[in-house]
Amino acid sequence: MPDPRIALRRILDSLKAEPSRTWSIIITVYGDAIVPRGGSLWLGTLSAVLHALDIGDGVVRTAMSRLAADGWLERSRVGRNSFYRLAERGRETFRTATEHIYNAHPPPAGSGFVLVLPGNGGDREAARTALQEAGFGAATPGVWVAPAGTAIPPTAADALRLDATADAETRRRLAALSWPLDQTASAYRHFLAEFGPLQAALAAGGALPDPDSFIARILLIHAWRRIVLRDPVLPADLLPPDWPGTAARALCADLYHRLLPASERWLDANGQAESGPLPPPGPELQARFR
């Protein structure tokens, strides 16, 4: 029987070979696991998670300070213990991204586009980042494109919005101009290669200890959201043949729900908020990837 611990170790080794992404992993922990349980977490619980990823206390403190200074996290204290929760910026960003991460479905073939032209006022850089994270692509500088029905993030709410339709060839050209589909396809194939062995080991009857299940879940969503938030989830008629995104989403959904029970047990036993153990998650957790 394949050993899921070996598959997880390979995923961890791959993570360590990348440039440091501690702040991004922290946001994944909060958005995926802590927001459904009230949103606040003791720094000691978070440190235990990051220690399992070989991220030391000094790096954690630096990342938390940066995230708080940039408006992503808010800190509170109870005695000598520090607790953090997503600030409004972080909550809004993850709210906007949640549907795209867990439950995005492509529009029907032949659908049009929404075009967004940000104005000269406001924080253009923040609007650009928010549009990218919501799956918008840039057809030309200053013109952002997404499939019809895509919500415009609040940061770019003052932008000019246009609805557009076109013939099939023009739609394919616009998609090719707006998104690096070849790069996204390559990222999906890498995701399948990286997480496929873990999914296969668990499907064959293998099991991970509760702490490892939580780590695997966080790494899964950390890797997944970095790809899917750049994917506009286009209609099938605009995608290259043999698009790997469909298989990647199916694998991610299956693996997520295989890891969920044990990872939630670990949070039940170890997660602490200001008032004590973390509250149980809301029903939205089980609805993910359904």
Side-chain angles (χ1 to χ4, degrees):
M1 177 185 299
D3 189 341
R5 292 171 298 181
I6 294 175
L8 178 58
R9 173 51 55 187
R10 289 172 179 160
I11 294 169
L12 283 166
D13 289 344
S14 177
L15 177 75
K16 292 173 190 174
E18 297 179 356
S20 176
R21 295 182 180 271
T22 302
W23 66 271
S24 182
I25 294 174
I26 292 169
I27 294 297
T28 300
V29 171
Y30 274 90
D32 180 71
I34 306 307
V35 167
R37 285 174 166 262
S40 178
L41 186 67
W42 175 44
L43 181 58
T45 306
L46 180 64
S47 293
V49 173
L50 297 178
H51 283 169
L53 300 175
D54 290 338
I55 299 173
D57 287 341
V59 176
V60 174
R61 285 193 297 270
T62 299
M64 298 301 278
S65 296
R66 174 185 167 186
L67 287 166
D70 289 348
W72 287 97
L73 295 175
E74 296 172 337
R75 187 179 80 161
S76 61
R77 294 184 67 89
V78 177
R80 299 178 62 183
N81 294 326
S82 294
F83 298 83
Y84 288 85
R85 66 172 58 244
L86 289 179
E88 179 55 34
R89 177 184 178 185
R91 291 194 300 271
E92 185 57 47
T93 298
F94 214 87
R95 249 194 317 270
T96 301
T98 291
E99 191 66 17
H100 202 79
I101 293 169
Y102 300 105
N103 295 309
H105 299 287
S111 298
F113 296 95
V114 55
L115 276 59
V116 174
L117 287 72
N120 293 323
D123 190 337
R124 289 177 59 86
E125 182 61 24
R128 183 188 69 82
T129 300
L131 287 164
Q132 282 185 323
E133 291 178 347
F136 281 77
T140 61
V143 179
W144 295 88
V145 182
T150 303
I152 298 175
T155 309
D158 293 337
L160 178 64
R161 172 189 174 128
L162 302 171
D163 294 313
T165 58
D167 60 80
E169 178 59 25
T170 301
R171 291 170 60 252
R172 282 192 289 270
R173 289 178 59 196
L174 181 58
L177 280 172
S178 301
W179 295 282
L181 295 179
D182 288 346
Q183 293 178 28
T184 303
S186 178
Y188 276 133
R189 292 188 186 98
H190 179 76
F191 178 87
L192 287 164
E194 190 165 49
F195 286 92
L198 178 58
Q199 190 259 1
L202 295 178
L208 288 171
D210 291 358
D212 287 350
S213 292
F214 186 77
I215 293 301
R217 169 185 166 186
I218 294 305
L219 293 178
L220 176 73
I221 297 302
H222 173 66
W224 176 250
R225 75 180 183 90
R226 287 164 57 196
I227 304 170
V228 78
L229 290 180
R230 304 297 188 192
D231 181 357
V233 190
L234 295 172
D237 62 324
L238 298 185
L239 293 172
D242 301 321
W243 179 248
T246 304
R249 180 172 288 275
L251 184 148
C252 188
D254 180 78
L255 183 52
Y256 188 78
H257 283 283
R258 290 182 187 278
L259 295 168
L260 198 58
S263 65
E264 287 296 302
R265 282 197 304 269
W266 186 84
L267 278 176
D268 287 339
N270 296 278
Q272 293 289 317
E274 290 98 333
S275 57
L278 291 175
E284 70 273 11
L285 187 65
Q286 291 295 336
R288 290 173 172 173
F289 293 110
R290 298 299 192 189

